[in-house]
Amino acid sequence: MMKKLFKNKMILFGVSFTALLILLTFIIPQVVPLSPLQQDLPARLSSPGAKHIMGTDALGRDVFIRIIYGARISLLVGFVSVTIALLIGVPLGLLAGFHGGWVDNLIMRIVDIMLCFPSIFLILMVITFLEPNIINVMAVIGLTSWPGLTRYVRGEALSVRKRDYISAAKMMNIGRVRILFIHMLPNVIAPVLITATLGIGSAILTESVLSFLGLGVQPPSPSWGNILTSGKNYMGSRAWWLILFPAGAIFLTVLSFNLIGEGLRDHLDPHKKFLKKG
Amino acid sequence: MILEAKNIYKTYFSETFLGRRSDRVKALSGINFSVKKGEILGLVGESGSGKSTLGRIICGLDKPTGGEVKWSGKKWSPKKSKKCSAQMIFQNPAGSLNPKLTVGYALREALAAGAGLRPGRIKNDKIRNILSKVGLEKINIKNYPYQFSGGQQQRIAIARALALKPELLVCDEPVSALDISIQAQVINLIKKINKEEGLTIIFIAHDIEAVNIVSHNIIVMNKGKIVEKGPAGQIVGNPENDYTKKLISAVPVNPYYK
Ligand SMILES: Nc1ncnc2c1ncn2[C@@H]1O[C@H](COP(=O)(O)OP(=O)(O)OP(=O)(O)O)[C@@H](O)[C@H]1O
Ligand SMILES: [Mg+2]
């Protein structure tokens, strides 16, 4: 199974890049004594070179070190907000699909309403009323990104609940929670995995946007959005490294998670398989 | 009487896009019968005659639109009683076992539910013991359903149902999906369970020949109604109803049945 997954080039690239990034966030702080806030004033705005491989910003802080420390923030935001979305979205989707009737109607109307708004709009609406910090960013992204997951899980759960093994479980009278999480969840794990990986990518992107707008993680924390902000005033001028490297880090990381998600979809999504055969 | 079905109706509505109910399908209209303890009752009829619908209602999986099912004179409702006294065996054995759970887990869970314990309290001997009742004491219980043949899967499904200590087993076309050479084995197993455990069984099939071999009494259904009922020999040897006669003349004979 694992071997087969890694034969997929999209998954191979995505997993390799993500693994490398995670590895660097652990190794670099051990090996390089520079802190992401440490200023090297004489070397302000120096271009990439032997001393600072990705150059320095206007305060003389090392861009590479800041990007590595920023990766911790981005990955943390990605994983935590997706975990929040999973904790809300999966049980609701399972419940809607299994229970049907008014429970399904209620849950799906809420989902429909939330999906009406672009999620960035919802996030901006909420976050402007909150103190901008990493906890709030994770909470708000998590709390606004579950509806798509719920809709997908519910669709799968609708078909799973008609299977005879669910009838068999009902006849055992083992309780709804057990049916949902032990009998149904493992059979809808594909959509969960796919949307979760895609969700990590989009959460990372959202965090960067929020930080760039000054609504996310606050400076001087080296989040990728903040690094971009610090390069904002130098756009178009010669300090290209202040834009290219953080933007590249965001792009490659989001791309990696999207590629893993798409790759998983090719392998796991039963509908897609069916379409390919037909 | 272990079970009495009283004037059971089941109508399916399909909802149109405005939520209006339309397209009624009368799956069952006015079903009355009773089952004696220890008997095998055959339920036969063409596809669409309502056999599965009736089986699901007996097992508490569907609610009747009208009428009621009484167990030893008492009404059963899923809210009041912990577990329905009936268990069902389905046509497609692969679909009745959860593909993501090992056979051992499925049986452990059923044994626990039957005994009112937590699954962790069920010992492996118990699982072996229930498997021996269906002739599978030697299988590896850590395997997943797809690692077994259709006949083995159906035996495992039967073992799981037995683990719940039902008063009645509803077998809904239990052999139709199996290889023809395996069908007789599973039918003999069902007969053995009835004899040795004294378990009451409703055996559903559209093949009157199979029903005749297994059952003591037979109910013939057509379009949601009972058209004839009586002892097996009488129904097959001396049918009164035209529909029953039609069913008898239509059967191909399975060479494996004895
Ligand atoms: N969930 C449902 N929704 C709507 N109609 C249904 C549903 N289930 C069954 N029916 C209809 O009820 C009627 C009886 O179906 P049922 O499955 O009980 O027949 P059956 O005798 O078991 O047939 P078969 O031999 O094909 O299994 C059929 O006309 C069927 O189309
Ligand atoms: Mg049927």
Side-chain angles (χ1 to χ4, degrees):
Chain A
M1 178 74 192
M2 282 309 238
K3 253 190 187 165
K4 232 173 143 187
L5 284 181
F6 283 114
K7 272 202 184 134
N8 181 312
K9 297 226 171 56
M10 296 196 284
I11 294 184
L12 186 65
F13 174 84
V15 170
S16 311
F17 182 82
T18 317
L20 180 73
L21 190 66
I22 294 175
L23 214 63
L24 284 178
T25 65
F26 282 104
I27 293 174
I28 294 292
Q30 305 294 324
V31 196
V32 185
L34 277 176
S35 107
L37 302 182
Q38 196 169 316
Q39 303 182 357
D40 183 0
L41 287 172
R44 278 185 308 165
L45 287 174
S46 53
S47 54
K51 198 166 165 217
H52 301 287
I53 58 169
M54 289 185 182
T56 59
D57 63 10
L59 296 171
R61 297 176 296 194
D62 186 286
V63 173
F64 176 66
I65 296 296
R66 283 176 71 70
I67 286 179
I68 293 301
Y69 278 85
R72 288 183 168 182
I73 297 177
S74 288
L75 292 170
L76 185 72
V77 170
F79 284 108
V80 173
S81 44
V82 163
T83 305
I84 296 173
L86 285 174
L87 288 176
I88 304 170
V90 172
L92 284 180
L94 286 174
L95 189 65
F98 175 70
H99 201 285
W102 68 270
V103 175
D104 183 28
N105 268 326
L106 179 71
I107 294 174
M108 291 321 288
R109 286 305 79 78
I110 298 173
V111 165
D112 288 342
I113 291 168
M114 289 189 64
L115 286 177
C116 269
F117 303 98
S119 72
I120 190 75
F121 173 75
L122 277 182
I123 292 169
L124 285 175
M125 223 165 61
V126 180
I127 204 118
T128 36
F129 295 104
L130 296 174
E131 199 182 307
N133 60 38
I134 190 167
I135 304 282
N136 284 341
V137 167
M138 293 189 298
V140 171
I141 296 176
L143 291 174
T144 50
S145 59
W146 56 269
L149 184 67
T150 298
R151 171 177 280 180
Y152 199 175
V153 169
R154 176 230 181 216
E156 296 293 301
L158 269 183
S159 78
V160 169
R161 80 153 174 191
K162 291 197 207 99
R163 308 273 161 81
D164 289 337
Y165 58 80
I166 298 299
S167 293
K170 281 189 199 160
M171 286 189 292
M172 287 185 206
N173 215 295
I174 48 175
R176 191 174 302 168
V177 176
R178 243 187 119 73
I179 292 183
L180 289 185
F181 291 100
I182 292 185
H183 290 266
M184 293 187 69
L185 182 58
N187 290 291
V188 301
I189 207 71
V192 173
L193 280 178
I194 295 164
T195 23
T197 28
L198 295 173
I200 294 176
S202 86
I204 288 175
L205 189 61
T206 308
E207 184 275 326
S208 302
V209 171
L210 290 177
S211 296
F212 184 74
L213 294 175
L215 296 168
V217 181
Q218 291 300 294
S221 257
S223 98
W224 289 347
N226 286 340
I227 306 176
L228 270 179
T229 314
S230 69
K232 196 170 59 178
N233 298 332
Y234 302 93
M235 268 192 206
S237 72
R238 266 176 284 153
W240 51 269
W241 57 91
L242 283 180
I243 304 295
L244 182 72
F245 293 123
I250 296 169
F251 172 73
L252 284 175
T253 309
V254 174
L255 180 74
S256 293
F257 282 107
N258 285 355
L259 287 177
I260 300 174
E262 292 298 333
L264 285 175
R265 199 201 297 276
D266 282 354
H267 277 271
L268 301 176
D269 193 321
H271 307 299
K272 192 140 182 183
K273 238 182 236 165
F274 181 72
L275 284 177
K276 269 191 181 165
K277 268 186 203 156
Chain B
M1 290 302 152
I2 179 173
L3 172 143
E4 280 172 277
K6 292 198 163 164
N7 209 21
I8 292 189
Y9 282 81
K10 179 75 188 183
T11 310
Y12 286 109
F13 302 92
S14 51
E15 300 211 350
T16 57
F17 73 108
L18 287 175
R20 234 182 52 228
R21 291 176 141 197
S22 67
D23 280 49
R24 302 206 265 147
V25 178
K26 284 191 169 177
L28 299 172
S29 22
I31 299 286
N32 284 292
F33 69 93
S34 52
V35 187
K36 282 196 288 281
K37 191 164 171 48
E39 81 165 320
I40 302 184
L41 176 67
L43 206 57
V44 67
E46 281 175 317
S47 185
S49 53
K51 308 177 299 289
S52 296
T53 305
L54 185 56
R56 292 180 65 86
I57 288 174
I58 290 168
C59 292
L61 287 170
D62 278 334
K63 277 200 208 100
T65 329
E68 61 187 20
V69 175
K70 282 188 163 177
W71 292 92
S72 315
K74 275 176 288 194
K75 196 177 168 192
W76 180 83
S77 95
K79 293 223 169 72
K80 276 183 218 142
S81 160
K82 282 227 308 271
K83 160 172 92 49
C84 183
S85 321
Q87 288 294 320
M88 192 149 178
I89 302 297
F90 300 92
Q91 176 171 352
N92 177 0
S96 72
L97 300 172
N98 193 327
K100 299 291 158 81
L101 300 179
T102 64
V103 164
Y105 187 92
L107 291 173
R108 189 184 309 279
E109 184 178 44
L111 283 162
L117 297 169
R118 274 188 279 115
R121 300 283 303 276
I122 302 296
K123 300 224 171 64
N124 280 353
D125 314 352
K126 280 260 169 80
I127 298 175
R128 293 264 162 242
N129 184 31
I130 204 84
L131 277 169
S132 73
K133 289 189 183 171
V134 296
L136 288 180
E137 52 279 352
K138 291 200 184 95
I139 62 165
N140 182 356
I141 60 170
K142 293 204 177 98
N143 282 353
Y144 287 87
Y146 75 91
Q147 291 167 299
F148 295 97
S149 70
Q152 286 175 320
Q153 288 170 344
Q154 197 61 299
R155 285 164 189 266
I156 292 164
I158 293 172
R160 180 181 61 190
L162 293 180
L164 289 147
K165 301 191 198 121
E167 286 178 52
L168 174 74
L169 194 61
V170 177
C171 303
D172 188 0
E173 311 208 23
V175 299
S176 312
L178 300 180
D179 202 72
I180 207 158
S181 59
I182 310 288
Q183 292 187 352
Q185 290 176 15
V186 173
I187 286 194
N188 286 336
L189 173 66
I190 291 171
K191 282 169 86 170
K192 190 189 111 191
I193 288 168
N194 167 258
K195 231 189 216 153
E196 290 177 5
E197 316 264 322
L199 185 58
T200 315
I201 289 169
I202 292 183
F203 185 91
I204 300 177
H206 53 246
D207 168 6
I208 199 166
E209 174 76 9
V211 172
N212 183 32
I213 287 164
V214 186
S215 317
H216 304 120
N217 293 301
I218 294 182
I219 288 177
V220 183
M221 281 179 69
N222 183 24
K223 294 185 182 142
K225 291 200 175 93
I226 293 178
V227 294
E228 191 166 1
K229 57 183 162 188
Q234 184 192 316
I235 298 276
V236 178
N238 191 13
E240 281 172 12
N241 186 280
D242 287 343
Y243 180 74
T244 314
K245 287 178 192 160
K246 201 180 104 197
L247 282 182
I248 293 168
S249 63
V251 285
V253 177
N254 180 337
Y256 292 93
Y257 290 157
K258 278 181 275 277

